[in-house]
Amino acid sequence: MQAEIITIGDEILIGQIVDTNSAFIGKEFNKFGISVYQITSIQDDKSHILQALKEAEANADIIIITGGLGPTKDDITKHTICEYFNDTLVEDKSVLANVEQIFSKWSSAPLLDVNKQQALVPSKASVLMNHNGTAPGMWLEKNGKVFVSLPGVPYEMKALITDQVIPKLRQQFHFPYILHKTILTYGKGESALAEDIFKWEEALPSFIKLAYLPSLGRVRLRLSGKSQDRKKLEEEIQKQVDLLLPQIEDIFVGFEEDKSIEAILGERLAQLGKTLSVAESCTGGKIASSFTENAGASRYFKGSVVTYATETKVDVLGVSQEMINKHSVVSKEVAEAMAKGVQKLYNTDYAISTTGNAGPEKGDSDAEVGTVWIAIATKDKVFSDVFNFGTLREKVIGRATSKAFEMLFKEI
Amino acid sequence: MQAEIITIGDEILIGQIVDTNSAFIGKEFNKFGISVYQITSIQDDKSHILQALKEAEANADIIIITGGLGPTKDDITKHTICEYFNDTLVEDKSVLANVEQIFSKWSSAPLLDVNKQQALVPSKASVLMNHNGTAPGMWLEKNGKVFVSLPGVPYEMKALITDQVIPKLRQQFHFPYILHKTILTYGKGESALAEDIFKWEEALPSFIKLAYLPSLGRVRLRLSGKSQDRKKLEEEIQKQVDLLLPQIEDIFVGFEEDKSIEAILGERLAQLGKTLSVAESCTGGKIASSFTENAGASRYFKGSVVTYATETKVDVLGVSQEMINKHSVVSKEVAEAMAKGVQKLYNTDYAISTTGNAGPEKGDSDAEVGTVWIAIATKDKVFSDVFNFGTLREKVIGRATSKAFEMLFKEI
């Protein structure tokens, strides 16, 4: 069973926003056996929307349309869908009630006519009530194909996909058994890893597919199989995993598909009853915010400091000015003193620190742009390492953050 | 002149990665008059790639292909491009030298055969040298159309687009004069704003297009015009802006297109010679990292603390335990004490603090999930406000961060 996702909005094509919706839908659909055949992003333009709908109908069984449902004039999706289905808009009382309720509860703005127009839906559509916003989801069918139009606001779209679209699809269609096993590795590049496991990969049975999913510092190996014989598929994937693991022992982190290494780290710390604090200079709060993005961070994360200006390393973390003068602010000594300083300040079992130069210009140190010292403090030791993460600021911050997670992970 | 972007990779369709490349390309192209007609994301599948190339060639003058150039087996783009152009792969010595240099400089891994294969390019292609990675960009032409294949790694792709693709396109084609004016507003929703400026919008001349670009807490209004008569277009857009500004005085932030409010705030602080510190609880480092993502943050940003655990608000920021007991940790009093505490700790002109509950569960306070107190300290006062940002963790953190910027912005 195949789906196509059509995302509508000039703002996507002119690059004002990044389309994160498609990735979410692709991931959720994949879990239960719907492959996304294509993602197509197009402008708020009637003829182009009509053409995209037609092409998608030819290629896919399920067509998900996101965006273009807002109240302002540059959104024309709803009218175009009406034209495609040879339908007219009618006011839906339940949607109108939802719009009114949302305005009375969350908004200090008055309810305007443009907002009330959100209650207009094609007469042939089943409404998917949007509890997080005013634009409803709409489910339509044509020639055995399902068309679902959803608002483009990510958290509204997500709730509608999870709570309404997927349950309705599962009810309506029969899905084959699909199994994914994702293996998270850290600290080795894609091609070196591919070379290591080349023979194993060659010998995979044809109904199991392997994908390399690299991102900063890590590679996910994803085995996917689809079959009517659930038991055989499970056994075969397990067998392949058992063959693989001894070959990647030193870089294996876990089997988590969706979880980041910092989420896994956090859970491990919480399980062990251990606590963490962070002192950041060049990463500027990125390490702390990566941990605290995950629910439940308060179980292990006690706090952090960003000591961006050099003197704050002295004032807040108690790093000695003499040490900074002698070794420079980007040095092994300062990194380790920062880790120990923050560990003491927040009284934690573990601490991470970073000090470096993210660029684009040199700062309070002679260190080359991209040079970063990362230190880890545990209850009985402190150690550190130095890296050069290149000259692009965004990349230096990202790679330093990722490497800090990797260093702490190896320690726990 | 129209472009189509084709992004290739199973990892996009299964949602393992978000396609940020297309937004970048769309934005850069738009600036000098290339409209992106469509973005199409497809799998690493030969027949689908061939079909997408054919359709794109029919619709667009410039076809940008990203992704699918990595060294591992699931990348088949290069071979498929060869087939489309009826071409063969040949080894390019300059690319091989680049691959060898990158390995000797950045990698501790040995240079493998799969890496050397990156030097194979279609014989008809002009190589766009990738100084940040091993996969080269490739420029091909067919029937007057330009095809450019680029690696999918964002910073490699970005450098190639900026330094090589755009200059080469400008050299080869004549572009009409295009002008955008983006007006950043803060603190009013899309539909209320649209209602406010309805008459002005109705009266816009037909060659000027208006788009609403809403994101958390802010709406960008984007006027776009395309013309051969540069002077007339500039005058008309300026005239429209002059008519608009008095109507949006209270929410107008600036004319910056690409800059975030925190980048604008940072520049203003630096110009004024003022400094900032931040104390975060529920936002967990997000405010600090948003400021420090921007180059030059060290001119005004001195540091921050994340006091995630309640006791750290006492230990690190000097908030009194008595106050916390009396008012709870999510309260006006604690927010303001945190702001004053961090302002003193880092000795800054301004300070921001947040304390709240980002969910999904209640923390060390009885406050409802989504409740956030935000305080701003200046040299002579401290003030705060309370908000409820809903029940979704990601949204609470995002909206609280955005609102904090807005509150500080109004003060400076």
Side-chain angles (χ1 to χ4, degrees):
Chain A
M1 180 143 301
Q2 296 208 118
E4 179 158 341
I5 302 169
I6 300 173
T7 62
I8 299 176
D10 292 350
E11 65 276 21
I12 296 170
L13 295 157
I14 63 175
Q16 287 273 357
I17 65 160
V18 170
D19 169 28
T20 55
N21 287 353
S22 298
F24 175 83
I25 297 168
K27 188 181 276 182
E28 295 305 307
F29 275 18
N30 232 266
K31 283 180 188 162
F32 68 101
I34 298 179
S35 307
V36 175
Y37 173 77
Q38 183 167 315
I39 300 162
T40 308
S41 299
I42 57 175
Q43 295 179 316
D44 292 301
D45 172 86
K46 195 171 93 173
S47 64
H48 201 165
I49 295 173
L50 291 171
Q51 189 199 329
L53 288 170
K54 201 174 144 195
E55 286 176 10
E57 190 184 323
N59 293 327
D61 312 292
I62 299 159
I63 296 98
I64 306 288
I65 304 139
T66 77
L69 298 179
T72 54
K73 305 172 64 160
D74 53 350
D75 292 316
I76 56 159
T77 306
K78 209 153 60 176
H79 295 94
T80 307
I81 288 176
C82 262
E83 183 169 329
Y84 191 74
F85 285 89
N86 195 18
D87 200 359
T88 51
L89 293 174
V90 294
E91 186 177 270
D92 185 293
K93 297 287 173 214
S94 64
V95 176
L96 186 61
N98 185 54
V99 171
E100 287 168 348
Q101 200 206 344
I102 284 177
F103 264 77
S104 71
K105 190 165 176 195
W106 298 108
S107 178
S108 53
L111 181 63
L112 307 170
D113 280 346
V114 288
N115 304 116
K116 287 184 189 160
Q117 282 166 23
Q118 307 253 279
L120 295 175
V121 298
S123 74
K124 296 175 185 170
S126 309
V127 164
L128 308 175
M129 194 60 71
N130 178 359
H131 301 292
N132 297 299
T134 51
M138 294 171 280
W139 175 291
L140 288 135
E141 296 183 17
K142 189 183 175 189
N143 307 327
K145 313 262 170 146
V146 171
F147 294 73
V148 182
S149 168
L150 300 172
V153 182
Y155 66 88
E156 298 178 14
M157 178 281 306
K158 284 181 186 175
L160 283 163
I161 285 282
T162 307
D163 302 339
Q164 302 193 52
V165 178
I166 288 177
K168 215 165 142 79
L169 287 172
R170 277 180 175 283
Q171 208 169 17
Q172 194 145 334
F173 297 101
H174 170 75
F175 293 101
Y177 185 65
I178 192 163
L179 185 63
H180 301 292
K181 187 92 180 179
T182 303
I183 297 149
L184 177 57
T185 72
Y186 236 82
K188 186 171 264 186
E190 181 184 0
S191 40
L193 177 55
E195 190 91 355
D196 283 359
I197 62 174
F198 174 75
K199 281 189 183 161
W200 169 83
E201 186 179 348
E202 283 288 293
L204 281 174
S206 62
F207 60 95
I208 296 181
K209 221 181 145 188
L210 175 71
Y212 291 82
L213 309 165
S215 54
L216 269 182
R218 72 202 83 171
V219 177
R220 282 189 165 81
L221 294 171
R222 187 166 180 280
L223 287 164
S224 305
K226 204 184 278 189
S227 170
Q228 299 300 335
D229 188 342
R230 176 175 178 151
K231 195 159 169 290
K232 190 186 158 203
L233 182 60
E234 285 176 347
E235 284 171 2
E236 187 61 37
I237 287 197
Q238 189 54 51
K239 186 182 136 194
Q240 294 302 331
V241 170
D242 292 342
L243 287 170
L244 175 64
L245 285 188
Q247 302 176 45
I248 56 167
E249 224 169 2
D250 51 329
I251 54 167
F252 172 70
V253 173
F255 290 111
E256 304 292 347
E257 170 149 30
D258 290 333
K259 279 183 194 152
S260 58
I261 191 172
E262 61 271 24
I264 296 171
L265 255 174
E267 283 174 10
R268 200 172 285 194
L269 287 166
Q271 276 160 12
L272 296 169
K274 302 291 186 186
T275 54
L276 175 68
S277 58
V278 180
E280 301 184 64
S281 182
C282 62
T283 50
K286 186 77 181 167
I287 296 177
S289 67
S290 299
F291 280 114
T292 58
E293 268 167 20
N294 299 292
S298 58
R299 290 177 298 159
Y300 65 90
F301 189 79
K302 292 190 79 175
S304 78
V305 292
V306 175
T307 49
Y308 216 61
T310 295
E311 73 269 20
T312 63
K313 294 180 178 68
V314 178
D315 299 343
V316 180
L317 289 177
V319 177
S320 88
Q321 186 64 53
E322 208 183 342
M323 179 190 282
I324 293 174
N325 295 344
K326 187 170 169 195
H327 300 285
S328 111
V329 74
V330 178
S331 63
K332 179 183 180 65
E333 289 76 9
V334 170
E336 295 186 357
M338 285 172 67
K340 284 190 284 191
V342 79
Q343 184 184 35
K344 189 175 162 203
L345 185 68
Y346 285 102
N347 185 27
T348 56
D349 299 296
Y350 295 95
I352 300 173
S353 75
T354 62
T355 178
N357 183 352
E361 284 153 24
K362 287 191 179 183
D364 289 352
S365 137
D366 281 337
E368 288 298 321
V369 170
T371 304
V372 181
W373 277 94
I374 302 174
I376 305 287
T378 70
K379 275 291 180 198
D380 49 19
K381 66 173 185 255
V382 59
F383 62 94
S384 59
D385 210 342
V386 65
F387 306 90
N388 188 304
F389 294 129
T391 54
L392 296 157
R393 184 179 180 86
E394 182 190 343
K395 195 180 151 194
V396 174
I397 295 173
R399 289 183 67 185
T401 300
S402 173
K403 182 57 78 174
F405 298 146
E406 186 189 330
M407 286 171 66
L408 180 62
F409 187 83
K410 285 191 176 152
E411 199 53 34
I412 293 180
Chain B
M1 179 142 301
Q2 294 207 119
E4 178 158 341
I5 301 169
I6 300 173
T7 62
I8 298 176
D10 291 350
E11 65 275 22
I12 296 170
L13 296 157
I14 63 175
Q16 286 273 358
I17 64 160
V18 170
D19 170 27
T20 55
N21 287 353
S22 299
F24 176 83
I25 298 168
K27 187 181 277 182
E28 294 305 309
F29 275 17
N30 233 265
K31 284 179 188 163
F32 68 102
I34 298 179
S35 308
V36 174
Y37 173 77
Q38 182 166 313
I39 300 163
T40 308
S41 299
I42 57 175
Q43 294 178 316
D44 291 303
D45 172 87
K46 194 171 92 172
S47 63
H48 201 165
I49 296 173
L50 290 172
Q51 189 198 328
L53 288 170
K54 201 174 144 194
E55 286 176 11
E57 191 184 323
N59 293 326
D61 311 292
I62 299 159
I63 296 98
I64 306 288
I65 304 140
T66 78
L69 298 180
T72 54
K73 306 173 62 158
D74 51 350
D75 292 316
I76 56 160
T77 306
K78 208 153 60 176
H79 295 94
T80 307
I81 287 176
C82 261
E83 183 168 330
Y84 191 74
F85 285 88
N86 196 19
D87 200 358
T88 51
L89 292 174
V90 294
E91 188 177 88
D92 185 291
K93 297 288 173 212
S94 64
V95 176
L96 186 60
N98 185 54
V99 171
E100 287 168 349
Q101 200 206 346
I102 284 177
F103 264 77
S104 70
K105 189 166 177 195
W106 298 108
S107 177
S108 54
L111 181 64
L112 306 170
D113 280 347
V114 289
N115 304 117
K116 288 184 189 161
Q117 282 166 25
Q118 306 253 280
L120 295 174
V121 298
S123 74
K124 296 175 186 170
S126 310
V127 164
L128 309 176
M129 194 60 71
N130 179 358
H131 301 293
N132 297 300
T134 51
M138 293 170 280
W139 175 292
L140 289 135
E141 296 184 17
K142 189 182 174 189
N143 306 328
K145 312 263 170 144
V146 172
F147 293 74
V148 182
S149 169
L150 299 172
V153 181
Y155 66 88
E156 298 178 15
M157 178 280 306
K158 284 181 187 176
L160 283 163
I161 286 281
T162 307
D163 302 338
Q164 302 194 51
V165 178
I166 289 177
K168 214 164 143 78
L169 287 172
R170 277 181 176 281
Q171 209 170 15
Q172 194 145 336
F173 297 102
H174 169 75
F175 293 102
Y177 185 65
I178 193 163
L179 185 63
H180 302 292
K181 187 91 181 181
T182 304
I183 296 149
L184 177 57
T185 73
Y186 236 82
K188 186 170 265 185
E190 180 185 0
S191 40
L193 177 55
E195 191 92 354
D196 282 359
I197 63 175
F198 174 76
K199 282 189 182 160
W200 169 83
E201 186 180 348
E202 284 287 292
L204 280 174
S206 62
F207 60 96
I208 296 180
K209 221 181 146 188
L210 175 70
Y212 290 82
L213 308 165
S215 55
L216 269 182
R218 73 200 84 171
V219 177
R220 281 188 165 81
L221 294 171
R222 187 167 180 279
L223 286 163
S224 306
K226 204 184 280 190
S227 170
Q228 299 300 335
D229 187 342
R230 176 173 179 154
K231 192 157 172 291
K232 190 186 157 201
L233 183 60
E234 284 176 348
E235 284 171 3
E236 188 61 37
I237 287 197
Q238 189 54 52
K239 187 181 135 192
Q240 293 303 331
V241 170
D242 292 343
L243 287 170
L244 175 64
L245 286 187
Q247 303 177 44
I248 56 167
E249 224 169 2
D250 51 328
I251 56 169
F252 172 69
V253 172
F255 290 110
E256 305 292 347
E257 169 149 29
D258 289 333
K259 280 183 193 151
S260 58
I261 191 173
E262 61 272 23
I264 296 171
L265 255 174
E267 283 174 11
R268 199 171 285 194
L269 286 166
Q271 276 161 13
L272 296 169
K274 302 291 186 187
T275 55
L276 175 69
S277 58
V278 180
E280 301 183 63
S281 182
C282 63
T283 49
K286 187 77 182 166
I287 295 177
S289 66
S290 300
F291 280 114
T292 58
E293 269 167 20
N294 299 292
S298 57
R299 289 178 298 160
Y300 64 90
F301 189 78
K302 292 190 78 175
S304 78
V305 292
V306 176
T307 49
Y308 216 61
T310 295
E311 74 270 19
T312 64
K313 294 181 178 66
V314 179
D315 299 342
V316 179
L317 289 177
V319 178
S320 88
Q321 186 63 54
E322 209 183 340
M323 179 190 281
I324 293 174
N325 295 345
K326 188 170 169 196
H327 300 285
S328 112
V329 73
V330 179
S331 63
K332 180 182 181 65
E333 290 75 10
V334 171
E336 294 186 355
M338 285 172 67
K340 283 190 284 191
V342 80
Q343 183 183 35
K344 189 176 162 204
L345 186 66
Y346 286 101
N347 185 27
T348 56
D349 299 297
Y350 295 95
I352 300 173
S353 75
T354 63
T355 179
N357 183 353
E361 283 155 24
K362 286 191 179 182
D364 288 352
S365 138
D366 281 338
E368 287 298 321
V369 171
T371 304
V372 181
W373 276 95
I374 301 173
I376 305 286
T378 70
K379 276 291 181 198
D380 49 18
K381 66 174 186 256
V382 59
F383 62 95
S384 60
D385 210 342
V386 65
F387 306 90
N388 189 303
F389 293 128
T391 54
L392 296 156
R393 184 178 180 86
E394 181 191 343
K395 195 179 150 194
V396 173
I397 295 173
R399 289 183 69 186
T401 299
S402 172
K403 183 56 79 175
F405 297 146
E406 187 188 330
M407 286 171 67
L408 180 61
F409 186 84
K410 284 190 176 150
E411 198 54 35
I412 294 180

